[in-house]
Amino acid sequence: MSQSVVDVCEVEPGIVQITMQDRVHKNTFSEELVCGLIQAYETIHANPNYKVAVVTGYDSYFSSGGTREGLLSIYEGREKFTDVNIYSLPLNCRIPVIAAMQGHGIGGGFVLGLYSDFVILSRESMYTANFMKYGFTPGMGATYMLPKKLGFSLAEEMLLSAGGYRGAELEKRGVPFRVLPRDEVLGQALELARQVAEKPRISLITLKDHLVKTIREELPFVIEQEIAMHETTFHQDEVKHRIMELFGK
């Protein structure tokens, strides 16, 4: 997979690193990135030696969420965000996943990181659940994962306001994640990965299964609710106008 926009590499025994590096599309959910992520997690699932995965981006981008074309396709009723499920890949990965979010996490890209078992943020980077910026209600399980990982009050603020928050601000707001200078994020993630990789693989898998069991069970019901909200909110003319005018700004 070395030529893919998603690179998979065993950086140390038992530690596998996924690097999202679609520089052309700035790590939005392009077809190349989506296919690359699915293949990456299939590769991890097939390897009995991996104990922990680290997922990261490139330069100042972790993941930028849906593409303009993808959002317009949902607006037109040709697609749903559930058609290709990449958002819960970290959750359903058998081994623990560490999100080294060294760069911006935007919309679905931020949510994607929150599905990991560990999250490390960058002080300089911007994190936003900006679905409502475009006038449609959140998807990808955001209405469940943000309150679960960040606490209800901050999550409600982020989801309703669609505002952007630097990692440094989120640190002050008391997010339960490590927040470090960008150039220290990946190193800290690898150090954490080493601590995890010291444990027996079967014990890691067993404990993760136990810890995320409730999330895995409750998430499908939340996704159904988000799809229903999309039927109400996504097909407004104003949404199309906002996507056309505001995307990437």
Side-chain angles (χ1 to χ4, degrees), residues 68-210:
R68 175 184 285 174
E69 294 74 19
L71 297 180
L72 288 174
S73 185
I74 296 175
Y75 162 78
E76 293 166 359
R78 293 184 287 113
E79 293 182 12
K80 295 181 172 135
F81 70 83
T82 51
D83 288 349
V84 180
N85 177 359
I86 64 166
Y87 50 88
S88 63
L89 288 172
L91 175 68
N92 292 326
C93 184
R94 297 187 70 200
I95 60 175
V97 178
I98 302 169
M101 299 178 69
Q102 87 312 323
H104 307 311
I106 301 170
F110 180 49
V111 181
L112 177 66
L114 295 183
Y115 275 95
S116 299
D117 304 288
F118 305 88
V119 176
I120 304 175
L121 303 179
S122 155
R123 287 184 183 142
E124 304 94 323
S125 297
M126 186 69 71
Y127 303 99
T128 176
N130 65 343
F131 305 90
M132 289 284 281
K133 171 183 175 180
Y134 302 107
F136 59 83
T137 48
M140 292 184 60
T143 60
Y144 180 88
M145 293 305 296
L146 264 74
K148 193 79 170 176
K149 292 298 184 80
L150 302 175
F152 181 79
S153 295
L154 178 57
E156 185 178 34
E157 178 183 318
M158 293 185 77
L159 290 167
L160 285 170
S161 73
Y165 300 74
R166 295 283 178 188
E169 180 179 355
L170 293 176
E171 183 178 26
K172 291 179 182 177
R173 297 288 296 271
V175 293
F177 309 135
R178 305 185 200 199
V179 184
L180 302 170
R182 176 175 294 143
D183 60 2
E184 297 179 15
V185 170
L186 182 56
Q188 181 60 57
L190 292 173
E191 179 57 36
L192 179 58
R194 293 183 191 106
Q195 295 177 31
V196 174
E198 293 174 351
K199 284 70 178 178
R201 173 181 156 91
I202 187 62
S203 298
L204 292 169
I205 291 172
T206 301
L207 181 55
K208 173 169 178 172
D209 281 343
H210 173 74

Side-chain angles (χ1 to χ4, degrees), residues 22-36:
D22 189 346
R23 296 174 182 269
V24 173
H25 301 101
K26 296 181 178 178
N27 276 358
T28 54
F29 295 155
S30 64
E31 182 178 354
E32 296 86 353
L33 187 77
V34 168
C35 291

